[in-house]
Amino acid sequence: MTKKVVVLGEAREGALRNVSFEAIAAAKKISGGGEVVGVLLGDAVQSLADEMIHYGADRVITVEHPHLKQYTSDGFSQAFMAVYEQENPEAVVFGHTALGKDLSPKIASKLASGLISDVTAIEGEGDDAVFIRPIYSGKAFEKVKNKNGLLFITIRPNNIAPLNHDTSRSGDKSSVSVDITNLRTIIAEVVRKSTEGVDLSEAKVVVAGGRGVKSEEGFAPLQELATLLGGAIGASRGACDANYCDYSLQIGQTGKVVTPDLYIAAGISGAIQHMAGMSNSKVIVAINKDPEATIFKVADYGIVGDLFEVIPMMIEEIKKLKR
Ligand code: FAD
């Protein structure tokens, strides 16, 4: 049976996040040839509707309201529920992002639905779709099938490839008006810790530093390498605890979970809590001066050496290749 699938697109600073396009690709599989409906919530999001259609949505519904300028779970859940009630879909897909992790359980419980969270791959399609998700901090994977009722999933960024961007695709664009009331929180101001650079959770390349980086200044060569590779900087909790960098960079069990194409771990020992956040990266390169460091057990390429010698050499070689 084909399904109607609703996908929540996530906008940030006037642009859609990649995970929105990955969610459309997931929705296409789940729909089994049915309809994929994109949903955009915000104060000015209509201009982003075409982009969702170019990535595979059949049509897009926007809800615009001044209270949706910043994310609040009350505001977004009221807006999403209005679209849900209008569309009555068989399945819902959100990104497994900070927003998706906050909003999806709230909506799922309102709908008395189950929730298959943090999906990294989908086997089969339509009614036969099987959802693969890591468990035990990435040490095992489980395969889950929706038995009956509404199917609600969140997908981990960077794991499900988006469909081709096709500007010749067209689709219906409509809006739903919602009276957003009873907000228990209002965001007065958002103060960003870092305003530039690639988003860590969506980066294709992550260069992460640990306690071996030794100081805040020690992150400079890592930053240079990350910039050269078009990637983002990350860190172990060891580096964050030592005040070498901000906690927003922490990767691991109690930090961000990343799955880039390339993860370079420099001066990181490979504690189980760190590996919970990066061991599913496609290629892992570890630089550590201790040949017994645990990180080498998950690394595809291990470099035993001083990161302050190895990273400048890598930078030099990459610059040569770019010339
Ligand atoms: P260390 O273990 O001190 O390792 C530093 C490494 O750098 C060593 O292997 C050393 O050989 C190497 N080194 C030193 N100098 C150089 C050099 N010049 N060149 C090359 N290598 C060098 N940690 C996380 O990362 N993320 C989490 O989310 C997280 N959550 C946690 C949750 C709980 C409940 C607990 C208890 C712990 C958590 N931790 C987490 C902490 C974790 O257990 C480790 O303490 C931490 O990951 C260690 O950080 P590190 O590898 O940078 O430091």
Side-chain angles (χ1 to χ4, degrees):
M1 205 185 78
T2 59
K3 291 187 199 308
K4 184 199 274 190
V5 188
V6 160
V7 179
L8 181 66
E10 269 190 54
R12 185 184 283 174
E13 285 163 8
L16 281 167
R17 298 184 67 187
N18 255 342
V19 69
S20 313
F21 311 132
E22 296 164 357
I24 293 170
K28 277 271 180 211
K29 278 197 130 187
I30 294 166
S31 74
E35 190 184 29
V36 173
V37 183
V39 177
L40 288 166
L41 314 175
D43 68 330
V45 285
Q46 275 183 18
S47 58
L48 304 173
D50 279 332
E51 196 70 342
M52 286 194 93
I53 291 167
H54 295 163
Y55 272 100
D58 297 306
R59 60 188 169 94
V60 175
I61 300 170
T62 49
V63 182
E64 292 190 333
H65 193 287
H67 284 333
L68 299 175
K69 183 172 184 188
Q70 303 293 349
Y71 173 76
T72 60
S73 56
D74 282 342
F76 269 52
S77 62
Q78 286 176 40
F80 186 84
M81 284 304 292
V83 177
Y84 181 87
E85 277 155 18
Q86 174 184 294
E87 292 298 320
N88 202 18
E90 277 93 27
V92 176
V93 183
F94 282 10
H96 196 69
T97 56
L99 186 155
K101 282 188 261 186
D102 187 66
L103 191 60
S104 58
K106 184 167 176 138
I107 305 263
S109 70
K110 271 184 196 293
L111 297 169
S113 152
L115 176 61
I116 305 174
S117 65
D118 203 13
V119 170
T120 54
I122 303 173
E123 283 175 357
E125 47 183 76
D127 288 337
D128 298 325
V130 174
F131 303 94
I132 300 171
R133 58 188 298 274
I135 50 172
Y136 305 127
S137 300
K139 280 198 237 34
F141 289 87
E142 68 175 3
K143 292 186 172 185
V144 190
K145 207 165 179 289
N146 194 45
K147 218 170 151 200
N148 48 38
L150 176 72
L151 165 65
F152 198 152
I153 70 162
T154 64
I155 58 151
R156 186 184 285 198
N158 259 346
N159 281 266
I160 294 169
L163 304 172
N164 287 341
H165 185 241
D166 178 357
T167 50
S168 68
R169 276 185 58 91
S170 59
D172 184 57
K173 291 174 274 178
S174 59
S175 60
V176 169
S177 88
V178 180
D179 187 19
I180 292 174
T181 52
N182 297 330
L183 290 186
R184 282 170 292 185
T185 48
I186 302 260
I187 311 290
E189 189 189 1
V190 176
V191 182
R192 295 210 186 281
K193 282 186 172 165
S194 65
T195 49
E196 51 190 73
V198 182
D199 181 347
L200 179 56
S201 37
E202 292 198 339
K204 297 279 176 212
V205 176
V206 172
V207 181
R211 223 189 306 260
V213 168
K214 296 201 171 63
S215 65
E216 198 180 333
E217 297 70 43
F219 266 92
L222 279 72
Q223 180 65 68
E224 190 179 348
L225 181 59
T227 307
L228 259 179
L229 296 171
I233 277 281
S236 70
R237 178 154 141 191
C240 302
D241 283 345
N243 253 337
Y244 302 162
C245 60
D246 194 87
Y247 278 102
S248 60
L249 301 186
Q250 185 183 319
I251 290 165
Q253 187 183 313
T254 45
K256 295 199 167 83
V257 175
V258 296
T259 34
D261 293 341
L262 173 63
Y263 188 89
I264 303 176
I268 294 178
S269 59
I272 191 165
Q273 297 90 352
H274 184 76
M275 300 216 275
M278 47 63 75
S279 60
N280 290 322
S281 303
K282 291 178 190 87
V283 174
I284 299 172
V285 176
I287 308 164
N288 198 301
K289 59 184 188 184
D290 173 8
E292 302 300 323
T294 320
I295 192 82
F296 288 129
K297 290 191 180 143
V298 293
D300 298 285
Y301 299 93
I303 304 171
V304 179
D306 186 329
L307 71 94
F308 295 105
E309 290 170 16
V310 175
I311 289 188
M313 283 193 248
M314 290 169 90
I315 291 172
E316 212 34 61
E317 288 305 314
I318 292 164
K319 280 185 178 165
K320 272 190 212 158
L321 286 173
K322 288 199 163 194
R323 260 177 228 142

